[in-house]
Amino acid sequence: MAEHAATGHAMHRLATQLFPITRSLTGPGYRRTLELLEQVTGTMQRHRFASGERVLDWDVPKEWTIRDAWIKAPDGTKVVDLAQSNLHVVGYSVPVHRRIGLAELQEHLHSLPDQPGAIPYRTSYYHEAWGFCLSDERRRSLADGEYEVSIDADLKDGAVELGEVVIEGAGDDEVLLWTYCCHPSLANNELSGPVLAAHLARLLRERETPLRHTYRIVFAPETIGAIAYLSRFGERLREHLVAGYVLTCAGDPGAFTYKRSRRGDALADRVAEHVLAWGDEEHRVVDFVPVGSDERQFCSPGFDLPVGSLMRSMYGTYPEYHTSLDDLSLITPQALGESLRAYVRIIDALEANETLVGTVLYGEPQLGRRGLYPRTGGPSDALSAGRQRDMMFLLSFCDGSADLLAAAQASGRPLTELAATADMLRSHDLLRPV
Amino acid sequence: MAEHAATGHAMHRLATQLFPITRSLTGPGYRRTLELLEQVTGTMQRHRFASGERVLDWDVPKEWTIRDAWIKAPDGTKVVDLAQSNLHVVGYSVPVHRRIGLAELQEHLHSLPDQPGAIPYRTSYYHEAWGFCLSDERRRSLADGEYEVSIDADLKDGAVELGEVVIEGAGDDEVLLWTYCCHPSLANNELSGPVLAAHLARLLRERETPLRHTYRIVFAPETIGAIAYLSRFGERLREHLVAGYVLTCAGDPGAFTYKRSRRGDALADRVAEHVLAWGDEEHRVVDFVPVGSDERQFCSPGFDLPVGSLMRSMYGTYPEYHTSLDDLSLITPQALGESLRAYVRIIDALEANETLVGTVLYGEPQLGRRGLYPRTGGPSDALSAGRQRDMMFLLSFCDGSADLLAAAQASGRPLTELAATADMLRSHDLLRPV
Amino acid sequence: MAEHAATGHAMHRLATQLFPITRSLTGPGYRRTLELLEQVTGTMQRHRFASGERVLDWDVPKEWTIRDAWIKAPDGTKVVDLAQSNLHVVGYSVPVHRRIGLAELQEHLHSLPDQPGAIPYRTSYYHEAWGFCLSDERRRSLADGEYEVSIDADLKDGAVELGEVVIEGAGDDEVLLWTYCCHPSLANNELSGPVLAAHLARLLRERETPLRHTYRIVFAPETIGAIAYLSRFGERLREHLVAGYVLTCAGDPGAFTYKRSRRGDALADRVAEHVLAWGDEEHRVVDFVPVGSDERQFCSPGFDLPVGSLMRSMYGTYPEYHTSLDDLSLITPQALGESLRAYVRIIDALEANETLVGTVLYGEPQLGRRGLYPRTGGPSDALSAGRQRDMMFLLSFCDGSADLLAAAQASGRPLTELAATADMLRSHDLLRPV
């Protein structure tokens, strides 16, 4: 736990390093981001999808490079400048360099009247357009006259690119930790996701106890990245994925929110809810809705994968969301560390959960012979009363039809403690995996 | 709605016209009733079942014709006279003409001590007997002496006769609107049923949008009519019936009562309860019980058809039930119009409900390409926020395993609005029927 | 009920007779107990399992005979003496005759500091040891010095022995009434169980109405008895057992406790809970937990038999449990009689419960023809309103898919009353067993 707190500071430093990079779905800023993350995760596999490639129902977009973008007022001063904030230009804007009147300019401006000091985040990935985002205060101060607008960008054939870290486990089952890193200069949604994923990758890589499941930690642009990944690897996920989570909005100090998968009772859901129920984090659980982030793609009805999302304040529910107010001050080392700890506990639970079956199913095993029963019929002298209760419960419950998590729920006990007693019973050959 | 209110007046006028006819299970009054209803419904098919024919566990009774019935007091005055009220004679009374003392007469009289001013409604269809019904006040005023009783009736071989209006739809599924019209001079139970059924038949016949389902509107004598219809057409109903309703007690201004089918969760039930939940009518829902009206036959365990009943004040629960107080003043044009409107909404929901499946099930469809997504990632400019939510919900929900009504329940939205968005998605080839 | 109260006194007298016998899993005291019970039950079949025989995962222990056991203080007075209480010696103690100091003696003593006046009940069946139990008051009064301890016992090859009474029924289904009688001088747990089982066996044997099920009433030593019985007869129970109960803790005047079988909704559970719900006994229902008595063996996951337990104050929940305070004053004739009555009602319900199916499933049967319908359509003159409601309910419910107990639950009626109406319908050939 102290370790996770320390890691929280490293996570926040990484976010600080990534924050100023001019990122989008594609392009040099996005690639630079993957490289910096790779310094934490270790080598990533790269998956490339060329512009124009058909991925499921979608077409891979061109690659966008933005070099400069500004608006000069009639008096020649720059009133909007990409150098001041990455959010000032609408993502995927086509290049433009013109002089236009204020009225026409207004059609290309985006601001938030309800949050007059905030710059909104806007994109136009799949419809050719250009535009600027600015605070409503700034917008209202613009005087009549002729403005010069310049967006120095190009849209060329290139590639959408994903980075994947694979930590191999002993079995065939896979766990997906998915995050996206296409938003520029936004901290909670989204940099908290990639820095959390990177540090989970590092912890898994360095883990001493052997893993039962294979963990795939994937960094991608939102939506098109998930679509592209599913087009290439969706069948494998359908066969092997036992649980997945979309990592996002994990850095603010708000209460936790677990958003269930479309199935609602998948292992991913059962484990996350069990961990939250037995933890001390304030939290709420919400059902799947097909708005949000990449869980929409994983949970699309054809795939219907067991993918949920454990967040702090959920996207769309906090006022700073998708504005310049979602900056580095919104995320804290402590909150990042807590999120890391919660995901580590989820991973621990996924690793501990198995379906076991007793070796003596007809009548109770004779525990006395094995030194597992109090010798004179009074209170136990060999095992604590709680341990003995768990032992009896497991010997009765484990008929091979349900997993340890179901045992934990049925007995009102935390999975990790029950799993420790199960390990003890396995060492006495009284339980075995199905 | 104004239209349904106007129809309410037409329904009440029709009930007024039918009220004085001397009706029973069979006979000239019953046939005259069908003819008058036919003026509203358009031509009915007739189904005849000859006296003595075996129908399921029952025998078709003889045809009863009642011409006159009276009791003369010792002083020669008529103290009970069929000409005063159709209820005065026990239905299916055998003919009699005798002089008898008051004590013997009493054994043939029926009255209601708790409702001293009301004439009860009594029948003796399947046991040969004769009798008179009268108010308890009148009964108590009878003086000792010799009475002359006369029932001029006959029971002859004939037929039980049903009238059926069929409005053809495009598909194989059928909907049954069933009512009975064997009660003489009783308004809520039962004339409200036939007049409602007749006007629903007219609306369905005149409907401009094509129907998906075939609607069968059937007018029958109670119990024996349902038994006879099932004996001839039960197999067809088992194959094709998706929903059915018994129309009765639909004219009083009391709150609505929906009585579920025996299954409890048949489409008939789900649709009726959804319509009531989203309407403004005060209502309650009750489980099936095997007492009541013809739903008993349709829901008998062998058939177990999806037949419920949407009523106002349910039979047996209002004090005027089966007495002369259930007269034309108990039913109102407004209540009849409201009942019509509720059934029209049920029919609209049955027509709107389909099981759809997405055409893009793997990953979300690219909505931007189809003009269905806000272009700059901010609040929608193409669709209202509610419409967009419905669209996303339907694309996620419609995997072919459940119908739109289930989607409406899961999303907490009215079926008709969700179906409109589904139509829009079908026009973009994003949804199709299973 | 008066009969059961009288039997309560007989039960208490039998417990009084059995109380002083020096009993254990095996040996002469245990055999003497079976012989005394047999005077009530009629002849028992005996099942013998030789010492050393493997039964499921267990080994049958040697036979233990205890003749004398005492501790003499340094001054020669007996401070602990088996003749004073059977509980003074740890069950299955090996023989010993030595002089030892107080410090070493203390390692062989058992007392209850929280209940200083009570002698605890301890055994060491499967681990060779010797020891004494005494009140903590007595223990604290022991002075330093040399003590003489003597246990005159032997452990020799012999047999574990069970007694079984079989009351044959007409069908193949079996009901198990199981109890254990290996505890010496303990009244509620356990003598209440054997005396209850014995009197139920007598009532079943003397019952005048023929039985549908075969009843097996078995008297055994706890745990090893159930293991041994299952090793020999477990397969038969899996095929034929429809309900079973462990009879124990049935004599104190506390509220009833029904402990469910591991399945939780077995017929044993449904019947016991229905009987309690319709009775006037204060009661609670608890889920199965794999601690307690012999239900642990019957409900072990391989067998998973439908065996619950209806008790008064459950083992482990009352302070006198497994101490010398659980004496004859803790159990009362009235409480024993009430427990008998509750089990008799369970047996009555098991006998009454059947799965029936209507003979007329398509449409209602014509009840009028059978004299089962009011003749003039008014309130019934043939059946009470409640009887008629039950009749209609049964004709609708009984489609062969569920038993009368399910009908009772669905209609909110007591099984015995509904079963009486079902009998009436069977006499009219309207219902028949599936």
Side-chain angles (χ1 to χ4, degrees):
Chain A
M1 183 143 167
E3 185 203 350
H4 295 155
T7 306
H9 284 281
M11 291 163 78
H12 199 274
R13 282 193 301 273
L14 179 59
T16 306
Q17 195 179 2
L18 295 169
F19 193 79
I21 298 173
T22 308
R23 257 184 307 279
S24 186
L25 295 187
T26 57
Y30 176 84
R31 282 201 190 83
R32 174 73 185 137
T33 299
L34 286 195
E35 286 160 13
L36 287 170
L37 290 165
E38 209 164 17
Q39 293 177 7
V40 176
T41 62
T43 309
M44 292 183 191
Q45 297 177 28
R46 302 296 168 99
H47 306 296
R48 288 185 184 78
F49 300 85
S51 301
E53 190 181 330
R54 182 74 174 202
V55 284
L56 301 177
D57 189 57
W58 296 59
D59 299 304
V60 175
K62 294 195 168 169
E63 201 168 306
W64 185 59
T65 304
I66 177 78
R67 282 172 293 267
D68 201 5
W70 45 257
I71 303 174
K72 280 194 188 153
D75 67 0
T77 59
K78 282 191 182 170
V79 289
V80 170
D81 189 352
L82 181 66
Q84 298 295 319
S85 166
N86 280 314
L87 302 186
H88 273 319
V89 67
V90 167
Y92 264 67
S93 280
V94 295
V96 67
H97 189 182
R98 287 172 55 194
R99 292 178 174 277
I100 55 176
L102 180 59
E104 188 183 351
L105 177 60
Q106 288 287 8
E107 293 169 21
H108 294 272
L109 298 184
H110 304 271
S111 66
L112 300 167
D114 291 347
Q115 291 171 286
I119 308 167
Y121 170 55
R122 292 284 182 276
T123 60
S124 186
Y125 296 137
Y126 301 101
H127 170 71
E128 290 211 348
W130 63 266
F132 291 90
C133 300
L134 70 171
S135 72
D136 207 57
E137 284 164 357
R138 172 71 53 91
R139 185 180 190 169
R140 276 186 279 111
S141 74
L142 299 179
D144 254 349
E146 196 182 62
Y147 284 78
E148 183 181 356
V149 297
S150 171
I151 296 179
D152 179 12
D154 55 49
L155 276 163
K156 289 184 183 163
D157 281 346
V160 156
E161 198 166 336
L162 284 67
E164 178 171 21
V165 180
V166 182
I167 317 285
E168 296 279 354
D172 290 334
D173 290 343
E174 298 193 352
V175 175
L176 179 67
L177 302 172
W178 178 274
T179 194
Y180 49 100
C181 40
C182 52
H183 292 30
S185 304
L186 292 168
N188 196 36
N189 178 36
E190 60 177 10
L191 279 175
S192 66
V195 303
L196 171 58
H199 278 275
L200 282 169
R202 183 183 60 75
L203 287 178
L204 283 164
R205 204 186 57 222
E206 296 172 356
R207 192 179 173 102
E208 287 175 11
T209 51
L211 291 164
R212 290 174 49 233
H213 308 316
T214 291
Y215 288 77
R216 299 183 173 274
I217 304 98
V218 187
F219 303 84
E222 201 180 10
T223 306
I224 189 68
I227 293 281
Y229 188 84
L230 283 166
S231 77
R232 196 172 286 173
F233 303 115
E235 268 314 299
R236 193 198 59 218
L237 292 181
R238 275 155 60 102
E239 272 178 51
H240 295 294
L241 194 71
V242 293
Y245 301 94
V246 173
L247 277 53
T248 184
C249 300
D252 74 292
F256 281 84
T257 301
Y258 179 67
K259 177 179 173 178
R260 288 180 175 134
S261 76
R262 182 174 180 272
R263 296 185 195 170
D265 61 352
L267 180 62
D269 307 315
R270 295 166 60 225
V271 163
E273 293 179 45
H274 182 83
V275 160
L276 289 172
W278 283 96
D280 53 6
E281 300 93 350
E282 197 188 335
H283 68 275
R284 63 179 182 136
V285 176
V286 298
D287 277 327
F288 178 78
V289 284
V291 288
S293 182
D294 285 336
E295 66 278 7
R296 286 153 47 188
Q297 311 310 328
F298 296 111
C299 296
S300 58
F303 290 111
D304 201 17
L305 293 167
V307 175
S309 182
L310 178 60
M311 299 164 267
R312 309 300 292 256
S313 298
M314 188 166 69
Y315 35 65
T317 67
Y318 60 97
E320 301 87 352
Y321 173 71
H322 272 200
T323 79
S324 56
L325 304 179
D326 187 350
D327 63 19
L328 290 165
S329 71
L330 194 66
I331 63 175
T332 70
Q334 185 182 334
L336 288 164
E338 289 165 357
S339 296
L340 184 79
R341 187 184 56 167
Y343 270 100
V344 166
R345 286 167 53 210
I346 285 175
I347 290 166
D348 287 343
L350 286 168
E351 289 293 314
N353 189 43
E354 277 192 89
T355 299
L356 302 174
V357 63
T359 58
V360 177
L361 294 174
Y362 293 86
E364 286 179 356
Q366 192 176 5
L367 296 171
R369 196 170 74 213
R370 296 168 173 94
L372 296 172
Y373 205 72
R375 290 185 167 174
T376 45
S380 177
D381 40 17
L383 301 169
S384 75
R387 196 72 181 275
Q388 195 174 333
R389 224 173 14 240
D390 285 355
M391 179 180 74
M392 299 309 284
F393 180 82
L394 285 168
L395 290 172
S396 172
F397 186 90
C398 291
D399 57 8
S401 71
D403 59 15
L404 283 178
L405 186 55
Q409 293 295 110
S411 62
R413 296 276 295 147
L415 172 61
T416 43
E417 290 190 35
L418 211 58
T421 302
D423 280 344
M424 184 273 285
L425 289 169
R426 288 170 78 164
S427 74
H428 284 276
D429 290 323
L430 286 171
L431 289 180
R432 61 173 178 79
V434 173
Chain B
M1 184 142 169
E3 186 203 347
H4 295 155
T7 307
H9 284 281
M11 291 162 77
H12 199 275
R13 281 194 301 274
L14 179 58
T16 305
Q17 195 179 2
L18 296 168
F19 192 80
I21 298 173
T22 309
R23 256 184 306 280
S24 186
L25 295 187
T26 56
Y30 176 84
R31 283 202 189 84
R32 174 72 186 137
T33 300
L34 286 194
E35 285 160 12
L36 287 170
L37 290 165
E38 209 164 18
Q39 293 177 8
V40 176
T41 63
T43 309
M44 291 183 191
Q45 297 177 26
R46 303 296 169 98
H47 305 297
R48 288 185 184 80
F49 299 84
S51 300
E53 190 180 331
R54 182 75 173 201
V55 284
L56 302 177
D57 190 58
W58 296 59
D59 299 303
V60 176
K62 293 195 169 170
E63 200 168 308
W64 185 58
T65 303
I66 177 77
R67 281 172 295 268
D68 201 5
W70 45 258
I71 303 174
K72 281 194 187 152
D75 65 1
T77 58
K78 283 189 181 170
V79 288
V80 170
D81 188 352
L82 180 67
Q84 298 296 318
S85 166
N86 280 313
L87 303 185
H88 273 320
V89 67
V90 168
Y92 264 67
S93 280
V94 294
V96 67
H97 189 184
R98 289 172 54 195
R99 293 179 173 276
I100 56 177
L102 180 59
E104 187 183 350
L105 177 61
Q106 288 288 8
E107 293 169 21
H108 294 272
L109 298 185
H110 304 272
S111 65
L112 300 168
D114 292 345
Q115 291 171 287
I119 308 166
Y121 170 55
R122 292 283 183 276
T123 61
S124 186
Y125 297 138
Y126 302 102
H127 171 70
E128 291 213 347
W130 62 266
F132 291 89
C133 301
L134 70 170
S135 73
D136 208 58
E137 283 165 358
R138 172 71 53 91
R139 186 179 188 168
R140 278 186 278 113
S141 75
L142 299 179
D144 255 350
E146 194 181 64
Y147 285 78
E148 182 182 358
V149 297
S150 170
I151 296 179
D152 178 11
D154 55 49
L155 276 162
K156 290 184 182 164
D157 280 346
V160 156
E161 195 165 339
L162 283 69
E164 178 170 21
V165 180
V166 183
I167 317 284
E168 295 280 353
D172 289 334
D173 290 343
E174 298 192 353
V175 175
L176 179 67
L177 302 172
W178 178 275
T179 194
Y180 49 100
C181 40
C182 52
H183 292 30
S185 305
L186 292 168
N188 195 37
N189 178 37
E190 61 178 8
L191 279 174
S192 66
V195 303
L196 170 58
H199 278 274
L200 282 170
R202 183 184 60 77
L203 286 178
L204 283 164
R205 204 185 59 220
E206 296 172 355
R207 193 179 172 100
E208 287 176 10
T209 51
L211 291 165
R212 290 174 49 234
H213 307 316
T214 291
Y215 288 78
R216 298 185 174 275
I217 304 98
V218 187
F219 302 83
E222 201 179 9
T223 306
I224 189 67
I227 292 281
Y229 189 83
L230 283 165
S231 77
R232 195 171 287 173
F233 304 115
E235 270 313 300
R236 191 196 62 217
L237 291 181
R238 274 155 61 102
E239 273 179 51
H240 296 295
L241 194 71
V242 293
Y245 301 94
V246 173
L247 278 54
T248 184
C249 300
D252 74 292
F256 280 85
T257 300
Y258 179 67
K259 177 179 175 179
R260 288 181 176 134
S261 77
R262 183 174 179 271
R263 298 185 193 171
D265 62 352
L267 180 61
D269 306 315
R270 297 167 59 226
V271 163
E273 292 179 45
H274 182 85
V275 159
L276 290 173
W278 283 96
D280 52 6
E281 299 94 349
E282 196 187 336
H283 68 275
R284 63 178 184 137
V285 176
V286 298
D287 277 328
F288 179 77
V289 284
V291 288
S293 183
D294 285 336
E295 66 278 7
R296 288 155 44 189
Q297 311 310 328
F298 296 112
C299 296
S300 58
F303 290 111
D304 202 16
L305 293 167
V307 175
S309 183
L310 178 61
M311 298 164 267
R312 308 300 292 256
S313 298
M314 188 165 70
Y315 35 64
T317 66
Y318 60 97
E320 301 88 351
Y321 173 71
H322 270 200
T323 78
S324 55
L325 303 178
D326 187 351
D327 62 18
L328 290 166
S329 72
L330 194 67
I331 63 174
T332 70
Q334 185 182 335
L336 288 163
E338 289 165 357
S339 296
L340 183 79
R341 187 183 57 167
Y343 270 101
V344 166
R345 285 167 54 210
I346 285 175
I347 291 167
D348 288 342
L350 286 167
E351 289 291 314
N353 188 43
E354 276 192 90
T355 300
L356 301 174
V357 63
T359 57
V360 177
L361 293 174
Y362 293 86
E364 286 179 355
Q366 192 175 6
L367 296 171
R369 195 170 75 215
R370 296 169 172 92
L372 295 173
Y373 204 71
R375 291 186 166 173
T376 45
S380 177
D381 39 19
L383 301 170
S384 75
R387 195 71 180 274
Q388 196 173 332
R389 228 177 6 246
D390 284 354
M391 179 181 74
M392 299 308 285
F393 179 83
L394 284 168
L395 290 172
S396 173
F397 186 90
C398 291
D399 58 8
S401 71
D403 59 15
L404 282 178
L405 185 55
Q409 293 296 109
S411 62
R413 297 274 295 145
L415 172 61
T416 43
E417 290 190 34
L418 211 58
T421 301
D423 280 344
M424 184 273 284
L425 289 169
R426 289 170 78 164
S427 73
H428 284 275
D429 289 324
L430 286 171
L431 289 180
R432 61 174 178 77
V434 172
Chain C
M1 185 141 167
E3 184 203 347
H4 296 155
T7 307
H9 284 279
M11 292 162 77
H12 199 275
R13 280 193 301 274
L14 179 57
T16 306
Q17 195 178 1
L18 296 168
F19 193 80
I21 297 172
T22 309
R23 256 183 307 277
S24 186
L25 295 188
T26 56
Y30 176 84
R31 282 199 191 85
R32 174 74 185 135
T33 300
L34 286 194
E35 286 160 14
L36 287 170
L37 290 165
E38 210 165 16
Q39 293 178 7
V40 175
T41 64
T43 310
M44 292 184 191
Q45 297 177 25
R46 302 295 169 100
H47 306 295
R48 288 185 183 78
F49 300 84
S51 300
E53 188 180 333
R54 181 77 173 201
V55 284
L56 302 177
D57 189 58
W58 296 59
D59 299 303
V60 175
K62 294 196 169 166
E63 200 167 308
W64 185 60
T65 303
I66 177 78
R67 284 173 292 268
D68 201 5
W70 44 258
I71 303 174
K72 280 195 187 150
D75 66 359
T77 59
K78 282 189 183 172
V79 289
V80 171
D81 188 353
L82 181 66
Q84 300 294 319
S85 166
N86 280 314
L87 303 185
H88 273 319
V89 68
V90 168
Y92 265 66
S93 281
V94 294
V96 66
H97 189 185
R98 288 173 53 197
R99 293 180 174 277
I100 54 178
L102 180 59
E104 188 183 350
L105 177 61
Q106 289 287 8
E107 293 168 24
H108 295 272
L109 299 184
H110 304 270
S111 65
L112 300 167
D114 291 347
Q115 291 171 285
I119 308 167
Y121 170 55
R122 292 284 183 275
T123 61
S124 185
Y125 296 136
Y126 301 101
H127 170 71
E128 289 213 347
W130 62 267
F132 291 89
C133 301
L134 69 171
S135 74
D136 207 60
E137 282 164 359
R138 172 73 52 92
R139 185 179 189 168
R140 277 186 278 112
S141 74
L142 299 179
D144 254 349
E146 196 182 62
Y147 285 78
E148 182 182 357
V149 297
S150 170
I151 296 180
D152 178 12
D154 53 51
L155 276 163
K156 290 186 183 160
D157 281 345
V160 156
E161 196 166 340
L162 284 68
E164 179 171 19
V165 180
V166 182
I167 317 284
E168 297 280 353
D172 289 334
D173 290 343
E174 298 192 352
V175 175
L176 179 67
L177 301 173
W178 179 273
T179 193
Y180 50 102
C181 40
C182 51
H183 292 31
S185 304
L186 293 168
N188 196 35
N189 178 36
E190 60 178 10
L191 279 175
S192 67
V195 303
L196 171 58
H199 278 274
L200 282 170
R202 183 184 58 78
L203 287 179
L204 283 164
R205 205 186 57 222
E206 296 172 353
R207 193 179 173 100
E208 287 177 9
T209 52
L211 290 165
R212 288 174 49 233
H213 308 316
T214 290
Y215 288 78
R216 297 184 175 275
I217 303 97
V218 187
F219 303 83
E222 201 179 9
T223 306
I224 189 66
I227 293 281
Y229 189 82
L230 282 166
S231 77
R232 195 171 288 173
F233 304 116
E235 270 314 299
R236 191 197 62 217
L237 291 182
R238 275 155 60 100
E239 272 178 51
H240 296 295
L241 194 70
V242 293
Y245 301 94
V246 173
L247 277 52
T248 184
C249 299
D252 74 291
F256 281 85
T257 300
Y258 180 67
K259 177 180 175 179
R260 289 180 174 134
S261 76
R262 182 175 180 269
R263 298 184 192 171
D265 61 352
L267 179 62
D269 307 314
R270 296 166 59 226
V271 163
E273 294 179 44
H274 182 85
V275 159
L276 289 172
W278 283 96
D280 53 6
E281 299 94 350
E282 198 188 334
H283 68 274
R284 62 179 184 136
V285 176
V286 298
D287 277 327
F288 178 77
V289 286
V291 288
S293 183
D294 285 337
E295 65 279 7
R296 287 153 47 188
Q297 311 310 329
F298 297 112
C299 296
S300 58
F303 290 112
D304 201 17
L305 293 168
V307 175
S309 182
L310 178 61
M311 298 163 269
R312 308 300 291 256
S313 299
M314 188 166 69
Y315 34 64
T317 67
Y318 60 96
E320 300 88 352
Y321 174 71
H322 271 201
T323 78
S324 56
L325 304 178
D326 187 352
D327 62 17
L328 290 165
S329 71
L330 194 66
I331 63 174
T332 70
Q334 185 181 335
L336 289 164
E338 289 164 356
S339 296
L340 183 81
R341 185 184 57 168
Y343 271 100
V344 166
R345 285 167 54 210
I346 286 175
I347 291 166
D348 287 342
L350 286 167
E351 290 292 314
N353 189 43
E354 277 192 89
T355 300
L356 302 174
V357 62
T359 57
V360 177
L361 294 174
Y362 293 87
E364 287 178 353
Q366 192 175 7
L367 296 170
R369 196 170 74 214
R370 296 169 172 93
L372 295 172
Y373 204 72
R375 290 187 166 171
T376 44
S380 177
D381 39 18
L383 302 169
S384 75
R387 196 70 181 275
Q388 195 173 333
R389 224 173 15 241
D390 285 354
M391 178 180 74
M392 299 308 285
F393 179 82
L394 285 167
L395 290 172
S396 173
F397 186 90
C398 291
D399 57 9
S401 71
D403 59 14
L404 282 178
L405 186 54
Q409 292 296 109
S411 63
R413 296 274 295 146
L415 172 61
T416 42
E417 291 190 33
L418 210 59
T421 302
D423 280 345
M424 184 272 286
L425 289 169
R426 289 170 79 164
S427 74
H428 283 276
D429 289 324
L430 287 171
L431 289 180
R432 60 173 177 79
V434 172

